[in-house]
Each structure stands twice: as structure tokens, then as C-alpha cells.
Amino acid sequence: MALCPEDLSRRLAELHDQFQRQYPALCRIAVAVYDNESDLLKTFVHSTRGASPLRLYEAKLSDVPSLQALAETGLSRVIPDLAVLPGSLSHHTQAIRETPYRSSYTVPIRQGATLHGFLFFNATEPGFFNERVVASLDIYAQLISLLVINEILPINTLKGAVQAARVFSRHRDDETGQHLERMARYARLIAWVLAPRHDLEDWWVEYVYRFAPLHDVGKVAIPDAVLLKPGRLTSEELRVMRTHVAKGTEIIDAMIQSFGLETVPHVSILRNIVTYHHEALDGTGYPHGLTGSAIPLEARITAIADVFDALTSKRPYKGAWSNEEAAAYLREHAGVRFDAEAVEALLSCPNEIQAIQARYREDPLG
């Protein structure tokens, strides 16, 4: 049975307490998850007492050769003395060095050839992770790795099932796979900026990213005559189009039941995104006419990510707007249709937006 992130954090804390009775110098257990598509390694959960030295942090695995080597070999690594690391350091290594941590033990989380992330142990004593300590921790490292894999796999299975449904219907819709890649990463940018302000954890950001591409899954149930109509929809056609929200929730619920994914952690985040991403702050959205903070934050974020990419992408009925034009539109409607804080969160990251657009640009040849 999969654990939700709070359960995983609690289990890490419980294991940490057990370890510290025998090994008082052990001061941190942390998990980072890996996204193969973007090559990003991202902080997820930890057992650190007080503030974590690394929160809402990500880095490309290819930029960290030492960890990339562990990913490729599946071997673990002990650093006996963090103080002797070279002066030219990555941000995450520098952050660790500025703590009382003096040694580390790193275990790749793998399932066969698939890398899911890394498990990190830190201690306040140099040379702490000797053969005896490592042998003792290895059993628990395998347990923690299994818990992490069991949490991530149901989410990936659900996402894969929904995306498979979209593949069969993609020729019916002008929203490409690259659109979904871009808007998911815009959503993650916004969530990443907002999480500290709303006291939300790293795992919440990760779930917004993983679930955002599923927002319009209900469109697979909309008739071609409505979905593919090039001109303006009639009032009746618009009513039919708007049913994609309720149909999307039905599809998600059916897939969860069909694939036995009832244990997917925080499926409420997914339901909120699918059900409420067309709501507007002033109550003019649909289908429920919610206002303000009654609209879940993850849905408010997804709405902005979706609209920004739609505006800056070419469609059969429009040209692509510039980023500046799209930003002006979002700001014009901020606080009325869109969450103003979330709008500014996205627009505060112009370099990241351009990097996403460059990496996931449309293929002009189709």
C-alpha cells in the first residue's frame, strides 16, 4: 500500500528516532526524486529537525557527475569528511557544507535499470559511516527505497493511463503533447515560488507538476463537431464543451478504479486540478462559479499555466503571442480572473520560461 508524503515523512522521522538511539550523530535522512524526462533531481521529503538546508531545490543530474555515476552503477557512496570537498562547489554541496553535517552516505533508489531518486544520510561526525554503520543502515535504506518507489509508481501509472487516452484522441485536438510538457513546467514554476509563502512542502510542488498535464482529460469525451469547430461556438456548443470538466473527473475516477489506484497519494490534488481549473476568482468561471480562495491553489496555478501557454502558442485560429503580450494579458486580469500572486510568481521567472519554451518547442514539420 502506498504512503502519502506526510506518512513517508513521518516514517522517516520514526526511523531517524530509532537510529539516533544507537547512533546519536546521525542527523538527517532525505529523499530526492528523479524525473528522467527533464533530467532533474528534486528534493521531496526529509527527516531534518528544524529547517532543511535544501528545500524546494532541483539540479540536473548531468550537472552532478558524482551522483550520475551512482545512478549508472547502482552503487552507494560514503564521503567520510565533507570538509575536504573542493572549493568549487555546486549549490547543494555548498548548502550541506554550511550545516553541522560532516559525513554522508548516499544510496540510489532504483528499480531494475530505472532510477527513481536518491536517499541521503548525514552525520555530525567525520568518518561516521564505517562498514558496521553502513551494514546496519542498508536494511533500512532498502525499506525506505521501497516506500518511495511504492509512492511514485501509482502516480506514474495513472498519469500514463490518462496520457494514453489522450494519444488516441490527440488528432482531435489542437493541444499538442508539447503544450502539456510546457504547461506542466509552468505550473511547477508557479508552485515552486508559492510553496514557501503558503508553507507547502516539496512533495506538493512535485504533485502539481505531475498532475497538471491531466487537467483537460475530459476533452476526449467531447464530440468532434464541437471540439474541432474552427469558429466561435454557439451557446449550446459552449455548454457541451464545458462538460469536459465533469467528464474529466469521471474519467479520472474510472481509471483509478479500473487500475486499482485507490492508494495514489493525494489524488485530491489531481481532482482539484481537473475539476476547478476553469473557475475564476470573481465567480465568472465554471462549472461551480467558485470565488477567491474557495478555488484550490493547485487549480488556480494550473489555470494560469494553461492560459499562458495557449496564448504564446500558435493555433489554427490564432498566431502565437509574445511572452510580453501574454504577460500583459495575465496582469490585466490578475485579481479578477486569475490569482494575482500566482501570476506574478510565473512572470518573475522569465529566464526559466524561455528555457522551457526552447526545450519543448513545437515541431514545425509535425
Side-chain angles (χ1 to χ4, degrees):
M1 180 175 181
L3 297 175
C4 71
E6 296 100 321
D7 291 335
L8 183 56
S9 295
R10 186 177 67 252
R11 187 68 61 86
L12 281 182
E14 291 171 352
L15 289 173
H16 195 163
D17 287 340
Q18 293 180 28
F19 295 153
Q20 282 201 312
R21 295 189 190 104
Q22 186 175 1
Y23 305 117
L26 185 67
C27 57
R28 176 177 180 256
I29 306 172
V31 172
V33 294
Y34 179 65
D35 176 15
N36 181 64
E37 291 182 3
S38 61
D39 190 41
L40 285 176
L41 192 64
K42 297 170 279 191
T43 52
F44 192 59
V45 293
H46 66 88
S47 69
T48 314
R49 271 59 169 178
S52 173
L54 285 172
R55 183 163 182 246
L56 299 169
Y57 178 72
E58 64 182 37
K60 282 187 173 293
L61 182 60
S62 55
D63 291 338
V64 192
S66 60
L67 291 181
Q68 190 170 36
L70 300 186
E72 293 170 355
T73 64
L75 299 176
S76 302
R77 177 193 67 183
V78 171
I79 299 179
D81 190 351
L82 294 171
V84 301
L85 291 176
S88 178
L89 300 172
S90 61
H91 169 78
H92 64 279
T93 305
Q94 184 63 44
I96 293 297
R97 280 194 59 176
E98 291 174 357
T99 69
Y101 309 158
R102 291 297 172 263
S103 55
S104 72
Y105 176 47
T106 305
V107 181
I109 301 174
R110 289 168 43 127
Q111 185 181 43
T114 302
L115 177 71
H116 291 285
F118 289 92
L119 174 61
F120 302 95
F121 297 90
N122 291 101
T124 54
E125 296 176 359
F128 174 79
F129 296 101
N130 56 42
E131 289 186 10
R132 179 178 61 83
V133 172
V134 166
S136 178
L137 292 178
D138 267 348
I139 298 174
Y140 296 98
Q142 296 307 313
L143 171 62
I144 295 169
S145 296
L146 182 61
L147 293 176
V148 172
I149 291 170
N150 284 346
E151 168 147 345
I152 293 172
L153 282 182
I155 299 169
N156 290 345
T157 301
L158 176 61
K159 183 178 177 182
V162 174
Q163 289 179 334
R166 288 194 62 93
V167 166
F168 289 112
S169 65
R170 187 169 293 165
H171 68 283
R172 307 173 58 244
D173 194 353
D174 58 26
E175 289 189 350
T176 67
Q178 295 297 75
H179 160 72
L180 298 179
E181 295 292 347
R182 289 190 300 266
M183 66 82 56
R185 285 161 176 80
Y186 296 149
R188 187 173 187 276
L189 266 183
I190 301 169
W192 180 80
V193 173
L194 295 185
R197 305 178 192 175
H198 293 264
D199 198 26
L200 294 164
E201 298 293 336
D202 301 58
W203 56 260
W204 179 82
V205 176
E206 185 67 14
Y207 285 141
V208 170
Y209 162 68
R210 289 177 184 252
F211 289 147
L214 310 184
H215 65 291
D216 268 344
V217 64
K219 284 186 176 180
V220 302
I222 300 301
D224 285 355
V226 174
L227 189 66
L228 301 182
K229 184 176 178 178
R232 184 180 296 274
L233 299 179
T234 67
S235 58
E236 176 58 21
E237 289 168 338
L238 184 59
R239 184 195 66 78
V240 173
M241 177 65 85
R242 288 183 170 184
T243 64
H244 82 272
V245 174
K247 292 180 185 297
T249 304
E250 292 173 7
I251 289 170
I252 292 297
D253 289 342
M255 285 189 167
I256 289 173
Q257 184 174 4
S258 297
F259 285 83
L261 299 175
E262 293 83 359
T263 60
V264 170
H266 286 284
V267 74
S268 62
I269 295 177
L270 172 58
R271 285 198 179 96
N272 286 343
I273 286 173
V274 172
T275 305
Y276 302 115
H277 72 279
H278 279 297
E279 302 291 340
L281 257 64
D282 62 358
T284 60
Y286 66 91
H288 301 289
L290 299 184
T291 61
S293 59
I295 306 169
L297 180 57
E298 51 265 29
R300 286 178 265 155
I301 288 171
T302 301
I304 293 166
D306 189 33
V307 168
F308 181 81
D309 191 68
L311 293 175
T312 54
S313 300
K314 183 179 179 181
R315 293 287 188 263
Y317 52 85
K318 63 175 273 300
W321 292 20
S322 69
N323 288 351
E324 292 73 22
E325 290 171 326
Y329 177 86
L330 290 179
R331 286 194 170 110
E332 178 185 354
H333 295 276
V336 180
R337 178 181 175 188
F338 304 119
D339 184 298
E341 184 184 33
V343 166
E344 290 307 317
L346 175 64
L347 301 183
S348 69
C349 304
N351 294 336
E352 290 84 352
I353 289 172
Q354 292 174 13
I356 291 168
Q357 291 171 333
R359 179 177 175 88
Y360 299 100
R361 63 168 58 93
E362 299 297 338
D363 182 354
L365 300 179

